[in-house]
Amino acid sequence: MEMRKSILAAGAVLVAAGLAFTGCSADTSGGGDTGSKVLTVGMPNGPQQPNQNPLATGSASLSLGYAFVVYESLMQNNEIDPTEAPTPWLAESVEWNPEYAQATITPRDGVKWSDGEAFTADDIAFSIQLRKDNPELNIDFPDQYGDISVEDGKVVVNFTTGQYVNQVKLYRLLIVPKHIWEGEDAVTFSDDDMIGTGPFTLKSFSAQAVTLTPNETYWGGKSKVAELRYDAYNDNAGLTTALTTGEAQWGWTFIPDYESTYIAKDPDHFNQVAGGGFGVDVLYLNNETKPFDNLAFRQALNMVVDHADITKTAGYGVWPEITSVTGLPQPSGDAFISEAYQGQELTVDVDGAKKVLTDAGYTYDGDKLIDPDGEAVSFKLTNPSGWTDYLDALGIIAEGAKSLGAEATVDAIVQDTWFNDTIPFGNFQASLHWTDAGSTPWNLYSNIMDGASYVPLGETANWNFGRYNNDEVTQALATYKSATEDSDRQAALDVVQKHYVEDVPGIVIWSRPAVAQYSTQNYTGFPTSEDPYANPQPTGPQAALILSKLTPSE
């Protein structure tokens, strides 16, 4: 399948400045020049249309990722270790009030746009106001911005609700120049010149390849990467080939048996690295459709899903196993597991699952499971064709269902149908889908269980695709999001975890850390398992940080 996608103390939080470029050359005398070595980033998204808008979902610059080396975020957050404090970037600091309903942003001094104009607080305020004024661009804080103002050279952003769980979303916003954008329609602006604060500037664009060169006046010092190229491949197989031949040196895709398929081709230079975080893949169970409208069957299926086999066989060991009954990935989730579930691990228990079913009125006709209505239990597990890790995982889940006497079949469908019909409208019985990561477990549970995202079958759901609806859980998630004390947040999380374990609204099947492949043939300094200083993928604000640490290979 194509891959998708700082816990701070309660009270006012001030993130100190001065940490930005620990690995970046501050040499502005030209010492960063390295000749003609090219770093090629590959993405499996096919030919692109000439739209460079870094705010518009689906634009070429966001699809391939080069928006993140031309434009920059307020802060850098390490998605690999969500508990790590953010690193100042375009903002020297961000201070929150105790309710996390107001953020005060201090811009970095001495930054210039690539056309020579000075970067100021007005640019930050303008960029955030653009999101507020254009709902199409405001995917992070829909209907949640209050007044946005500049006071004494600082930007004050008010929110209509507490944003404890969404701090990182503010830190990751890309900032654009007011003097360029203020006369444009931000939704339709193609941004051909791409005037940014980042380490690179746009040199040339075509549907298949984009070339960028170092920003000579970059505030962090001229990059030691002589040239960046972003190549568009038609699919994951095309990108895998480009990575294994060295045609592309940085990218991210799921490579089955990556050690022999990829690493073994050049073990001295080829690397794959995966980090932690709270991202998971979950088997969404349609709580309003047979057989998953029956709690006992959801519980029983959860008891026969072999998480270890799914990780080893379907994920080739790339996606770490989920062992906690709470569904939380570890070690990121260790500090959040409720006391009631500490040490409780998932096990395969077929006999126990059958007892749950028979106690709830299920019977057997030979080996065939019959539900309380007298019907044989069967269901489809649906995902797009070609998403091999998902489909293989579904096959293992189907084997678990068979051990209960239920007939489960894997239904591989067209990707567009899944995205645009199956998932949003609830036209499935069970389907694998990812969750947002975030800096706390809130996104994981909210995406699965939040009644605030509930809509009836047939209406478009943005999350909670399984249509689970429990007022106690909805209130607990709202409490967690707006609480000002850690103790209140944990108490709310205890409620959510209790219902996740007991109600089985969905089944988290494995952790989905950020995974990337890279070659050190031309440049070194990428994140490693020993030094996981950033999400290793090239398609996020962290790209600017990673580039600051790259140096030419010997």
Side-chain angles (χ1 to χ4, degrees):
M1 61 171 285
E2 180 182 341
M3 293 164 46
R4 309 340 139 196
K5 252 119 102 180
S6 63
I7 299 167
L8 306 178
V13 176
L14 182 63
V15 182
L19 303 177
F21 270 131
T22 55
C24 176
S25 166
D27 178 10
T28 57
S29 64
D33 291 335
T34 58
S36 59
K37 286 187 176 180
V38 176
L39 177 60
T40 300
V41 177
M43 286 297 290
N45 297 350
Q48 300 293 308
Q49 297 298 313
N51 182 359
Q52 318 305 340
N53 189 324
L55 310 183
T57 301
S59 70
S61 68
L62 288 178
S63 177
L64 297 185
Y66 56 94
F68 301 105
V69 302
V70 174
Y71 298 97
E72 297 183 291
S73 59
L74 294 172
M75 309 287 275
Q76 292 283 349
N77 71 289
N78 188 356
E79 294 176 294
I80 304 306
D81 182 4
T83 63
E84 188 177 294
T87 299
W89 212 250
L90 284 183
E92 291 185 356
S93 65
V94 178
E95 183 179 15
W96 293 88
N97 72 349
E99 294 75 31
Y100 291 90
Q102 183 184 82
T104 301
I105 304 165
T106 302
R108 178 178 291 277
D109 287 333
V111 176
K112 291 186 180 297
W113 296 100
S114 56
D115 63 357
E117 292 286 328
F119 162 80
T120 70
D122 288 337
D123 294 308
I124 297 175
F126 172 79
S127 297
I128 297 174
Q129 188 73 41
L130 279 182
R131 273 92 170 182
K132 179 182 178 181
D133 294 343
N134 296 279
E136 305 96 321
L137 307 178
N138 188 17
I139 61 175
D140 293 314
F141 299 101
D143 299 320
Q144 294 171 60
Y145 284 121
D147 291 336
I148 301 160
S149 61
V150 175
E151 301 175 15
D152 298 325
K154 299 180 179 182
V155 182
V156 179
V157 183
N158 291 286
F159 296 91
T160 57
T161 60
Q163 300 296 338
Y164 174 79
V165 300
N166 290 326
Q167 297 167 69
V168 166
K169 292 181 179 179
L170 179 67
Y171 301 156
R172 292 173 62 85
L173 291 182
L174 295 182
I175 305 303
V176 297
K178 178 181 180 180
H179 68 280
I180 298 292
W181 284 66
E182 62 184 342
E184 304 289 347
D185 180 336
V187 177
T188 61
F189 183 37
S190 62
D191 192 26
D192 297 335
D193 294 329
M194 297 192 80
I195 303 301
T197 60
F200 282 81
T201 59
L202 180 65
K203 178 181 179 182
S204 65
F205 171 88
S206 74
Q208 285 79 30
V210 179
T211 302
L212 300 102
T213 54
N215 180 352
E216 297 284 346
T217 60
Y218 183 50
W219 61 270
K222 182 181 175 182
S223 175
K224 293 182 179 180
V225 175
E227 184 172 284
L228 261 180
R229 180 182 166 111
Y230 289 74
D231 284 354
Y233 296 91
N234 288 333
D235 50 32
N236 289 347
L239 176 54
T240 298
T241 298
L243 289 165
T244 55
T245 61
E247 179 180 289
Q249 297 97 47
W250 192 12
W252 55 294
T253 187
F254 177 71
I255 303 178
D257 194 15
Y258 72 93
E259 289 184 341
S260 59
T261 302
Y262 174 59
I263 302 295
K265 296 296 190 292
D266 187 353
D268 290 335
H269 298 107
F270 289 176
N271 299 269
Q272 176 164 301
V273 62
F278 288 106
V280 298
D281 285 331
V282 58
L283 183 70
Y284 278 93
L285 306 175
N286 193 325
N287 285 233
E288 297 187 345
T289 301
K290 274 194 171 188
F292 300 110
D293 59 350
N294 190 304
L295 170 61
F297 189 74
R298 298 199 304 271
Q299 293 173 329
L301 182 64
N302 188 42
M303 295 170 70
V304 297
V305 171
D306 192 336
H307 288 80
D309 189 23
I310 286 174
T311 290
K312 178 182 178 181
T313 305
Y316 288 85
V318 176
W319 313 130
E321 179 184 353
I322 293 292
T323 58
S324 171
V325 295
T326 64
L328 286 180
Q330 297 170 277
S332 300
D334 285 344
F336 298 90
I337 295 175
S338 299
E339 186 175 342
Y341 299 115
Q342 289 286 340
Q344 291 194 32
E345 296 193 347
L346 294 160
T347 59
V348 175
D349 183 4
V350 176
D351 291 340
K354 287 183 175 180
K355 185 176 188 307
V356 167
L357 291 169
T358 54
D359 286 351
Y362 286 79
T363 57
Y364 281 90
D365 180 3
D367 292 333
K368 184 178 295 186
L369 181 64
I370 306 298
D371 70 20
D373 295 330
E375 298 178 351
V377 178
S378 65
F379 61 93
K380 288 183 178 180
L381 295 149
T382 305
N383 271 111
S385 58
W387 291 13
T388 54
D389 54 342
Y390 269 19
L391 296 175
D392 289 346
L394 295 182
I396 295 171
I397 293 167
E399 292 173 7
K402 184 178 179 181
S403 74
L404 297 177
E407 180 184 359
T409 55
V410 177
D411 187 22
I413 64 173
V414 175
Q415 185 177 146
D416 283 350
T417 301
W418 183 81
F419 270 114
N420 296 313
D421 179 85
T422 305
I423 282 294
F425 300 127
N427 292 328
F428 65 90
Q429 291 170 289
S431 183
L432 275 172
H433 193 290
W434 56 94
T435 64
D436 278 343
S439 59
T440 72
W442 186 85
N443 285 298
L444 184 160
Y445 290 122
S446 176
N447 292 168
I448 300 171
M449 306 172 66
D450 202 338
S453 299
Y454 173 85
V455 296
L457 289 173
E459 295 184 17
T460 302
N462 292 316
W463 286 113
N464 191 1
F465 303 117
R467 271 67 178 183
Y468 174 84
N469 202 7
N470 181 302
D471 290 343
E472 189 176 13
V473 171
T474 302
Q475 181 57 54
L477 287 166
T479 297
Y480 189 99
K481 183 172 182 283
S482 60
T484 60
E485 300 292 337
D486 287 340
S487 58
D488 293 336
R489 279 187 281 270
Q490 187 60 52
L493 195 58
D494 290 346
V495 171
V496 175
Q497 289 183 8
K498 179 178 186 291
H499 284 284
Y500 173 83
V501 173
E502 295 181 357
D503 297 352
V504 194
I507 302 173
V508 176
I509 65 155
W510 53 29
S511 173
R512 180 170 287 278
V515 174
Q517 298 85 26
Y518 62 81
S519 168
T520 57
Q521 181 70 47
N522 288 347
Y523 293 96
T524 61
F526 294 94
T528 65
S529 56
E530 294 78 23
D531 184 17
Y533 64 83
N535 176 332
Q537 297 170 350
T539 50
Q542 72 278 357
L545 171 62
I546 294 172
L547 285 164
S548 77
K549 294 180 177 288
L550 297 188
T551 58
S553 301
E554 294 294 333

